[in-house]
Amino acid sequence: MNPFEGKSSFDGETFDKVTLERADLRDREFSYCVFRRSRLSEGRWTRTRLEGCTFEECDLRQADVTMLSLRGVTFKACKLMGINWTKIAKFPDVSFEDCDLRYTVMDSLALRKTRFTRCAITEAVFAATDLSGAVFEECRFGGTRFDECDLRNAQFPRCSDLFVDPARNKVKGAHVPLDTAILLATSFGMHVLGFGEQRDA
């Protein structure tokens, strides 16, 4: 059964354990709805509007989010792998908690003060994106690339495998883990005293 068929507007509804892979969810409006434990991978959310919605333990892998409007939307423990967020509607208001964001692409987005908590953001790409004041807490970044991003005053408490090239990004005021500072120094051929191999005096 498709709970989205025949309707274009939904308000305050809960969608629990819905299984609709490759679902067509275009041109719909969802206000203060809850999506819980649903499988909606490869769905089409083109020009859809989400306001005050929460997604909990949902599978949204490789969704098409072209012109998707996000206003006060929270993703919790969701599978969001392989999503290209580049063409979502302008000025999204969104947060991510315990999500799998591997292989995602975020290019030319305004994500100031966006919060990412305990997310896997490995092998991802952030390009020309405004992440100033954003908070990444306990996130994993192995293989992720930041290119021409604004990371001023961004915070990365307890993150791992984070590498940011200050020559290619704005980083003034960013708070990064010690491991990141060591990785950066190492990339310039420096040795950080007290870390790495012990050398004879």
Side-chain angles (χ1 to χ4, degrees), residues 81-100:
M81 297 91 84
I83 295 178
N84 187 338
W85 302 84
T86 301
K87 295 182 179 179
I88 59 174
K90 292 183 178 180
F91 308 114
D93 177 13
V94 61
S95 63
F96 303 90
E97 181 179 328
D98 297 303
C99 289
D100 192 335

Side-chain angles (χ1 to χ4, degrees), residues 14-127:
T14 296
F15 304 99
D16 193 9
K17 296 182 180 178
V18 175
T19 299
L20 281 175
E21 297 182 355
R22 301 183 180 87
D24 187 348
L25 296 161
R26 292 177 295 174
D27 300 305
R28 287 173 169 81
E29 293 187 8
F30 296 90
S31 298
Y32 303 96
C33 292
V34 176
F35 297 79
R36 185 178 293 130
R37 297 188 294 272
S38 294
R39 296 179 61 183
L40 299 166
S41 59
E42 299 184 57
R44 299 180 66 185
W45 298 80
T46 309
R47 296 181 302 277
T48 290
R49 179 181 176 85
L50 298 172
E51 182 173 358
C53 294
T54 301
F55 290 78
E56 301 174 356
E57 299 179 44
C58 291
D59 184 349
L60 299 163
R61 288 176 291 179
Q62 296 183 319
D64 180 354
V65 294
T66 303
M67 293 306 295
L68 172 65
S69 176
L70 300 164
R71 298 288 182 267
V73 176
T74 300
F75 293 96
K76 297 182 178 180
C78 290
K79 296 178 180 178
L80 304 170
M81 297 91 84
I83 295 178
N84 187 338
W85 302 84
T86 301
K87 295 182 179 179
I88 59 174
K90 292 183 178 180
F91 308 114
D93 177 13
V94 61
S95 63
F96 303 90
E97 181 179 328
D98 297 303
C99 289
D100 192 335
L101 286 157
R102 289 178 294 167
Y103 319 118
T104 58
V105 177
M106 297 188 179
D107 190 346
S108 304
L109 299 179
L111 293 171
R112 295 186 66 212
K113 299 184 179 180
T114 299
R115 179 173 287 272
F116 300 78
T117 306
R118 295 181 301 276
C119 293
I121 315 178
T122 56
E123 302 294 336
V125 175
F126 293 86

Side-chain angles (χ1 to χ4, degrees), residues 86 105-111 125-132 145-151 168-170:
T86 301
V105 177
M106 297 188 179
D107 190 346
S108 304
L109 299 179
L111 293 171
V125 175
F126 293 86
T129 290
D130 184 355
L131 290 160
S132 57
R145 178 165 55 88
F146 292 87
D147 193 11
E148 297 184 6
C149 291
D150 188 345
L151 294 165
R168 299 190 63 83
N169 300 276
K170 297 176 182 178

